Amino acid sequence: MTSAEYLALITSAYAEKPRFMATVEASVAPFAAIQDVLKSLPAAFDIDTAMGVQLDTIGLWIGRSRRIDAALVGVYFAWDDTVATGWESGVWQGVYDPASGLVDLPDDSYRRLLRAKIATNSWDGTIPDAYAVWESVFDASSFILMQDNQDMSMVVGIAGALLSAVDKALLVGGYLNLKPEGVRVSYYVVAPVAGALFAWDVADSGALAGWTNGNWATEITPA
């Protein structure tokens, strides 16, 4: 309840008494503020909306720290790189980030890593569920493609939304390694810009497109 809702409960015999009303308002204001804070907690600790230390707390529940095992290199924003680490791709180097590479993930990439951890824990190992798992990790505007090589390896394509330099580095480092046990990802194919991947003899879609509409894929090989 707000302070105004508390004051509305006062009977007419006292509602016209300014000092009485002011006393009541001063008394109930802290309780109204506490209720506002309690109402905000679900959103503050929701994986889709949490930020900073709240997201770190979710990571403790899930079992995945923001700090990664090895520094991600080639992810810092650079003026002279318009594709790999330019605008909307590179990440700003923080005050305490080492020059060698990123060790503490920014919120967006950390949220993606947490979703991958959740998806891995709940995946039943089937191909249909694999698409659901991958799609839960990436943005709604992303399209996932999988190719089973029939030799205990697979290729994963990611089209649609442009991946950031950090997301690509996470793929290389094997942090987004959503695959059946015993199967390896030979490589990932991603579009160099937002849009569909080029493919022969297919109808244009959000994931694949032909000449003039499709983009030549960039291969990312996991370490």
Side-chain angles (χ1 to χ4, degrees):
M1 294 176 65
T2 64
S3 296
E5 289 174 314
Y6 279 114
L7 295 178
L9 299 176
I10 297 175
T11 62
S12 58
Y14 303 99
E16 301 299 326
K17 307 293 184 180
R19 288 186 295 180
F20 180 86
M21 296 291 286
T23 301
V24 173
E25 184 174 11
S27 300
V28 301
F31 298 103
I34 290 173
Q35 291 182 59
D36 289 339
V37 171
L38 292 176
K39 290 177 182 177
S40 70
L41 288 180
F45 291 94
D46 187 302
I47 191 171
D48 294 325
T49 54
M51 299 176 63
V53 293
Q54 284 81 21
L55 200 58
D56 289 329
T57 300
I58 295 175
L60 291 175
W61 298 337
I62 295 172
R64 173 69 255 189
S65 170
R66 184 189 296 268
R67 175 154 293 189
I68 56 178
D69 300 330
L72 301 181
V73 299
V75 300
Y76 290 140
F77 173 82
W79 287 107
D80 57 350
D81 191 338
T82 59
V83 178
T85 56
W87 293 111
E88 298 183 356
S89 183
V91 61
W92 293 104
Q93 182 179 359
V95 177
Y96 302 107
D97 289 329
S100 59
L102 187 71
V103 293
D104 289 323
L105 296 177
D107 281 351
D108 289 345
S109 297
Y110 185 37
R111 185 175 290 109
R112 193 183 306 284
L113 190 60
L114 292 179
R115 285 173 176 160
K117 177 68 172 177
I118 294 171
T120 301
N121 291 342
S122 61
W123 182 25
D124 63 8
T126 63
I127 294 298
D129 198 46
Y131 278 95
V133 164
W134 276 93
E135 289 168 0
S136 71
V137 172
F138 289 89
D139 301 330
S141 56
S142 297
F143 298 91
I144 306 300
L145 303 165
M146 295 183 191
Q147 176 179 296
D148 185 350
N149 296 328
Q150 302 297 316
D151 62 354
M152 298 301 290
S153 70
M154 60 188 290
V155 175
V156 178
I158 306 171
L162 177 65
L163 294 185
S164 69
V166 175
D167 292 334
K168 293 176 183 178
L170 289 175
L171 290 174
V172 171
Y175 292 100
L176 301 177
N177 204 19
L178 304 175
K179 62 179 185 60
E181 189 67 30
V183 176
R184 63 184 176 87
V185 178
S186 300
Y187 56 88
Y188 301 92
V189 290
V190 300
V193 296
L197 294 168
F198 174 79
W200 296 101
D201 298 327
V202 297
D204 286 5
S205 65
L208 301 172
W211 294 111
T212 72
N213 293 326
N215 300 290
W216 291 105
T218 299
E219 285 190 15
I220 297 177
T221 304

